[in-house]
Each structure stands twice: as C-alpha cells, then as structure tokens.
Amino acid sequence: MSTFEPPAETLADVVLVDYGLGNLRSATRGLERAGASVEITDDPAAFAAADGVVLPGVGAFREGMENAGPLREALTDHADAGRPLFGICLGMQMLLTSSEEADHEGEGEVTGLDLVPGTNVRFDVDRKVPHMGWNELSVERDHPIVDGVDGRYAYFVHSYYAEPDDSDAVIATADYGIDFPAVVANEAGNVFGTQFHPEKSGETGLQILRNFVEYCADR
C-alpha cells in the first residue's frame, strides 16, 4: 500500500514538453499526484506562464536534440532566467553539452542544450548495456530535488551516463560497476535532471516529483 499522500490542492503549474519522445502519460500522472497542474505542449509561449518545465525523454540523443531544436532557445531562456527546468532520462542527457552516442552511431557530433556543461559517455563494453533495473541512490550534496531519497531505489534504463565538467554538478550517484551520476544540476541549481525515470520509480519517484513541484511553488 502506498504511503505517499497527495496534496489536497494544486501547488504549481507545470509544463511537460511534448517534442515526440517523452513518456508523457506516466509523467503526467506522477506530477499530478505530486500536486502539479500539468499542461502538455510544444508551445514555447507556455513556458513563461509555468512555474516549472519538465523535459522528459526516451530514445537517442540526436533524435532528441533534433526534435527539440525549435524549442532550444525557449528552454535556454527559461533556464537562464533562473526558472526550474527538470530533465528526465534522455531529457537529463540533453541538458549537457554533447554525447558520445551520436559519434558511436556514426552520426557525428550533436550539440546539447549546454545548461550543465559536460558530455554523456557509454558504459564500458564489459557491462551489460543498456543498464536496466533498480539501483540505490547515494546523495552526494544537498539539493531540494533529492530531499528524502538518500539510500532509496530508483528505476534506470540507459546505455549512456553523464560526465559533467564540474564534479559539483553531481547531486546523487548510483553504482553500475562504476559510480555514475544519477542526478545532476547546474551551478545555480534551477536546472537539474535525473538519469532514472521518477514516474517509474514508485515511492522514490513520487518523492522526487513532489520535491520538484514544491521547488517550483517556492520559486
């Protein structure tokens, strides 16, 4: 039985970016349960009216950046204004500068949003790829998005992981033969992402989503 108590009222208005690659239905349900009013849209004008923006994502880095290309300026403007931007899985990887994935697939270099400087690298070949399953979160430094989740488990599905230029960008890690970033954030703290899927991570994921909604409400 769930111990998570949804709020009695809406805490924040959140935009879920629809660029063709997101797990929109599950993410919407999770955010609503966490206290958000959710608008699914690809309209950049909606970003300014929202308390926070969520960039979900499943699939390849190149396809993600190509699909989200028309929204790049609006997303970076939103982040540069100090407003909350939350990337999930591929959405988190898109916050970085680049990814080895496109080069690995022979597609050449692809530029990410560059909101958390760094690159995404592939797990070593001696590990089963993609990494899929539940892993324990180890919080490395304070950030509102990870309140109450240290030592809890989240659900991952990915072949690449983030390597931020600044080690301080790593908020939490998980272990898959190596300690890899599970949660990252920019220096200002308003742009952050989870490599795991909170909408598929049970109580841990609901806590993360509630942390995000409360962060948006506080801003």
Side-chain angles (χ1 to χ4, degrees):
M1 180 178 294
S2 172
T3 59
F4 189 88
E5 293 293 335
E9 60 183 357
T10 297
L11 301 176
D13 296 322
V14 172
V15 160
L16 189 60
V17 182
D18 181 6
Y19 64 105
L21 294 177
N23 186 19
L24 302 179
R25 182 176 299 178
S26 295
T28 297
R29 285 199 301 265
L31 286 162
E32 288 177 342
R33 191 175 176 199
S37 170
V38 181
E39 178 182 4
I40 301 171
T41 183
D42 61 356
D43 180 5
F47 299 177
D51 297 312
V53 171
V54 178
L55 182 65
V58 291
F61 188 83
R62 171 179 283 278
E63 186 179 8
M65 290 311 307
E66 288 178 347
N67 284 22
L71 304 174
R72 179 188 289 269
E73 184 176 359
L75 289 168
T76 54
D77 286 350
H78 179 88
D80 290 344
R83 310 187 72 193
L85 175 61
F86 179 16
I88 295 175
C89 196
L90 174 62
M92 186 207 82
Q93 294 184 5
M94 289 165 60
L95 300 177
L96 276 74
T97 312
S98 62
S99 177
E100 289 182 354
E101 182 175 8
D103 189 50
H104 178 80
E105 300 296 332
E107 298 172 337
E109 186 173 349
V110 179
T111 304
L113 295 172
D114 196 29
L115 296 171
V116 180
T119 192
N120 299 284
V121 299
R122 186 174 171 86
F123 282 111
D124 290 343
V125 293
D126 62 344
R127 298 180 181 90
K128 184 178 179 181
V129 177
H131 164 225
M132 184 181 301
W134 293 83
N135 288 77
E136 184 178 2
L137 302 176
S138 176
V139 172
E140 304 297 331
R141 70 178 183 88
D142 290 340
H143 188 284
I145 196 66
V146 293
D147 285 352
V149 300
D150 188 34
R152 294 170 66 174
Y153 284 76
Y155 185 74
F156 294 81
V157 183
H158 61 121
S159 300
Y160 293 78
Y161 62 92
E163 274 195 352
D165 292 346
D166 185 351
S167 61
D168 286 344
V170 179
I171 305 301
T173 60
D175 175 52
Y176 190 56
I178 60 169
D179 288 334
F180 67 89
V183 184
V184 300
N186 68 344
E187 184 176 0
N190 66 299
V191 176
F192 41 86
T194 61
Q195 182 60 73
F196 57 89
H197 286 275
E199 75 280 8
K200 297 180 180 180
S201 295
E203 296 293 304
T204 303
L206 283 170
Q207 182 65 56
I208 290 280
L209 294 175
R210 180 63 180 273
N211 290 345
F212 169 67
V213 172
E214 291 181 344
Y215 180 81
C216 291
D218 290 343
R219 303 285 285 190

